[in-house]
Amino acid sequence: ILPEERFVDYPKLNELIKLKDDLLRNRNHPPMYLKTDLKTFDITTLGKFDVILMDPPWEEYYNRVQGMPIMGSIDKLLPWSFEEIANLPIDQIADVPSFIFLWVGSEGLDMGRALFRKWGYKRCEDIVWVKTNKKSLDPKLEYQLGRNGKGILQRIKEHCLVGLKGDVRRASDSHFIHANIDTDVIVEEEPPLGSTEKPSEIYQMIERFCLGRKRLELFGEDHNIKPGWLTIGNNLSNTNFNLSEYDSWVSGDYGYPNVTDYNGGRYLGTSNEIENLRPKSPRMNYQQSQEDQSMKFGFGGAPVNPTQVNMNNLLREDFSQNQQNLMSLNVNTGENIPLQMGDIQQNQYNGNLPGAGGGGYYQQGFNGNQGNSNNM
């Protein structure tokens, strides 16, 4: 099902997405891009951003095509070490609040969580890309690729971890987030062998969710250049970056309807029609709102009742010992069930969370305690 066809049976949601996309077309600034080596370029000179999207050159990407007849040069897939990725000063260019969307392939979940801890993010979602290969010219070749991995099953998915820096509340920060519009699963054809291109739907999901207009993509290539984004990478073929012009497009603490085009306004803005259609948090009494109304958002599912689940200690990670101790909360009984490291990927989203759609992660009590691994 194409993204634009997914909600045809849900008229209100379909209309909401059309309204959001129309507003984005008017408010997204022209693409801006900078060809540079991120190992040497000082990204802190760019200022701070509302959204950062990254797809680092993981070793997994390089290993999956070794010895295979790929399109293009394999040099662009030469991997960065984990330490090189971790040394990027992401924490210095991330505003508070802000989000990061980090592609980690199918094998990099642990490394992604470690990066979040170093950069001061709380993990709040896991978007999964399920790959199809209907257009594959050589199914046998595709099967051989699965044998190069470390798993015992054929790899047909990749993960994009979503992190939050700071504190965002669904009800009071509607100028910055509109939650529960999109789902947390993308189903799209995989790219040609040797390409690390990700589904373009991820941009639409980000833009409909986060209303901040300062959006940065790192490790970008030509296919990543999009309206509304600043794209930086060494594999770009050209540069049109002008910092003063870019800043003029996203300056000012306002949005639509105060400005109707892309010239000015840090925030996307909204309209009465969008506000009437978009999902909102249920009303809570005053005590609940003071104690429990922290960040609860998702891609695909209604808001979780904050009195039902306490997720503070869902994830406890000890990377120094190269292991993880997880507690999976059984919502129905309240029983804490310890999980082993091999159970992480399948069981940390147990599908029992009310309205989570089997995939949403809802962090209770996001209060800006950045980098505290006990609350990841």
Side-chain angles (χ1 to χ4, degrees), residues 87-241:
N87 285 335
L88 287 171
I90 302 300
D91 54 326
Q92 297 181 44
I93 63 171
D95 211 339
V96 179
S98 66
F99 291 93
I100 187 170
F101 290 73
L102 177 65
W103 286 103
V104 296
S106 59
E107 302 173 1
L109 286 168
D110 293 347
M111 291 184 289
R113 296 187 189 105
L115 291 173
F116 279 12
R117 188 169 93 162
K118 182 180 187 301
W119 293 333
Y121 288 95
K122 301 294 184 77
R123 186 182 65 86
C124 50
E125 284 289 349
D126 178 0
I127 299 171
V128 178
W129 169 28
V130 179
K131 303 177 183 179
T132 61
N133 59 1
K134 295 180 181 179
K135 301 177 183 178
S136 174
L137 298 178
D138 190 348
K140 292 182 180 179
L141 179 62
E142 298 298 330
Y143 171 73
Q144 291 174 350
L145 292 179
R147 301 173 59 187
N148 290 338
K150 300 177 182 178
I152 60 174
L153 300 175
Q154 178 79 352
R155 299 291 173 83
I156 63 165
K157 62 174 174 54
E158 293 191 25
H159 295 264
C160 181
L161 294 179
V162 186
L164 165 69
K165 192 179 186 70
D167 179 18
V168 177
R169 299 173 186 269
R170 290 175 59 111
S172 60
D173 293 319
S174 59
H175 69 287
F176 193 65
I177 60 165
H178 282 177
N180 297 113
I181 296 176
D182 288 282
T183 67
D184 58 358
V185 176
I186 300 173
V187 180
E188 188 168 313
E189 189 78 2
E190 62 182 348
L193 184 61
S195 171
T196 60
E197 183 175 356
K198 299 302 188 291
S200 59
E201 188 178 347
I202 191 68
Y203 298 96
Q204 301 163 14
M205 295 171 65
I206 294 172
E207 293 168 16
R208 288 194 286 253
F209 164 65
C210 181
L211 278 60
R213 294 180 64 233
K214 294 197 69 175
R215 311 183 194 106
L216 172 69
E217 179 165 13
L218 300 178
F219 300 102
E221 301 181 31
D222 287 347
H223 60 254
N224 299 117
I225 296 174
K226 308 286 184 184
W229 288 82
L230 169 58
T231 306
I232 299 179
N234 204 29
N235 289 321
L236 293 167
S237 59
N238 209 340
T239 294
N240 73 346
F241 179 63

Side-chain angles (χ1 to χ4, degrees), residues 5-70:
E5 300 174 349
R6 185 171 301 154
F7 302 109
V8 292
D9 294 329
Y10 303 89
K12 289 185 178 181
L13 186 55
N14 196 42
E15 179 64 19
L16 171 62
I17 289 176
K18 288 181 178 179
L19 290 170
K20 295 277 286 187
D21 290 348
D22 287 343
L23 179 58
L24 283 162
R25 275 189 288 271
N26 291 328
R27 293 284 287 134
N28 277 348
H29 60 73
M32 191 162 276
Y33 39 94
L34 172 63
K35 177 179 174 63
T36 188
D37 188 349
L38 287 168
K39 289 184 178 180
T40 58
F41 179 73
D42 183 7
I43 58 176
T44 63
T45 61
L46 301 175
K48 293 183 180 292
F49 292 86
D50 304 313
V51 174
I52 298 172
L53 173 62
M54 294 177 59
D55 187 15
W58 297 105
E59 185 177 0
E60 173 189 346
Y61 298 162
Y62 183 78
N63 291 339
R64 70 169 64 150
V65 298
Q66 286 196 71
M68 299 291 181
I70 68 171

Side-chain angles (χ1 to χ4, degrees), residues 288-332:
Q288 278 184 316
S289 65
Q290 294 300 307
E291 294 178 355
D292 298 313
Q293 190 191 359
S294 293
M295 182 61 199
K296 301 173 185 70
F297 65 90
F299 294 91
V304 172
N305 185 330
T307 64
Q308 289 178 302
V309 186
N310 187 335
M311 303 291 286
N312 272 338
N313 297 315
L314 180 63
L315 282 176
R316 293 181 178 274
E317 301 174 326
D318 185 356
F319 289 96
S320 63
Q321 299 180 15
N322 194 27
Q323 64 181 10
Q324 296 178 323
N325 297 320
L326 283 159
M327 301 300 292
S328 175
L329 183 64
N330 185 313
V331 177
N332 297 322

